[in-house]
Amino acid sequence: MKAFLKNYRQSPRKVALVAELIKSKRVAEALIVLDNLPKRASLPIKKLLVSAIANAKNLGVSEENLVVENMLVNKGVVLKRIMPRARGSASRINKRTSHVEINLSEKKSDKKAKKTEPVVEEKTKAKEPKKEIVKKDIKSKKVSKKEVASK
């Protein structure tokens, strides 16, 4: 379930900010986020999302199970314009466009969660081996060993 928006006249950098907000969200949540977002790209992306939902309904998928799986925002055609500057020179203005692709996937809601069995720790502790402490006597340079039981 895909939908495309090609040659949208806004820079991909700005559109990608909106696209990141609705990735991996349920369709109903994504529509609410796009309604309340004060960005210019939110309206065209909302229309694109509604179009993708309609494409999914044509395939027989219910709207409640849909999740925004992925959104791609790519660079489109760059319109090159000029702005007159001082002393007869000109500077270039790039009017960028973006291509937006949205992928929806069906997420089956499992009401029966798998029950995990609690891990039972064994209360019987095996006897730990005794640790040897090595002491060095500085004056005599002898090494002595003592056996100490661990606590």
Side-chain angles (χ1 to χ4, degrees):
M1 287 116 346
K2 293 182 180 182
F4 299 96
L5 172 62
K6 295 201 173 190
N7 294 320
Y8 172 56
R9 191 41 209 97
Q10 193 172 10
S11 72
R13 189 173 177 179
K14 295 175 183 177
V15 178
L17 292 173
V18 178
E20 285 294 321
L21 291 175
I22 64 169
K23 271 187 187 177
S24 69
K25 288 195 177 183
R26 292 179 163 255
V27 171
E29 293 174 16
L31 288 171
I32 292 170
V33 168
L34 290 173
D35 279 338
N36 297 316
L37 198 64
K39 297 275 188 187
R40 187 181 120 197
S42 64
L43 181 63
I45 288 181
K46 181 183 174 190
K47 287 182 180 181
L48 181 67
L49 180 60
V50 170
S51 174
I53 293 168
N55 292 341
K57 284 183 181 177
N58 288 340
L59 295 175
V61 179
S62 67
E63 188 176 342
E64 294 92 31
N65 297 335
L66 289 176
V67 176
V68 178
E69 182 182 8
N70 193 12
M71 280 199 71
L72 291 174
V73 179
N74 293 322
K75 187 171 96 170
V77 180
V78 178
L79 305 173
K80 290 155 182 133
R81 303 291 182 257
I82 59 167
M83 172 77 76
R85 307 304 279 185
R87 298 184 180 191
S89 65
S91 62
R92 192 161 99 183
I93 294 176
N94 292 329
K95 298 195 174 220
R96 302 183 188 278
T97 63
S98 39
H99 298 316
V100 185
E101 177 185 345
I102 188 167
N103 293 326
L104 300 181
S105 65
E106 184 178 8
K107 183 178 180 183
K108 295 180 181 177
S109 58
D110 293 332
K111 292 183 180 178
K112 297 179 182 178
K114 292 182 180 178
K115 295 182 181 178
T116 57
E117 297 178 11
V119 178
V120 179
E121 295 181 16
E122 295 181 22
K123 292 185 179 180
T124 59
K125 291 184 180 178
K127 292 184 180 178
E128 295 179 10
K130 295 181 180 180
K131 295 182 181 177
E132 294 182 0
I133 297 177
V134 178
K135 279 190 175 181
K136 288 186 179 179
D137 196 4
I138 298 173
K139 293 179 183 175
S140 63
K141 296 183 182 179
K142 293 181 180 177
V143 178
S144 63
K145 295 182 180 179
K146 291 184 180 179
E147 291 187 5
V148 178
S150 63
K151 295 180 180 180

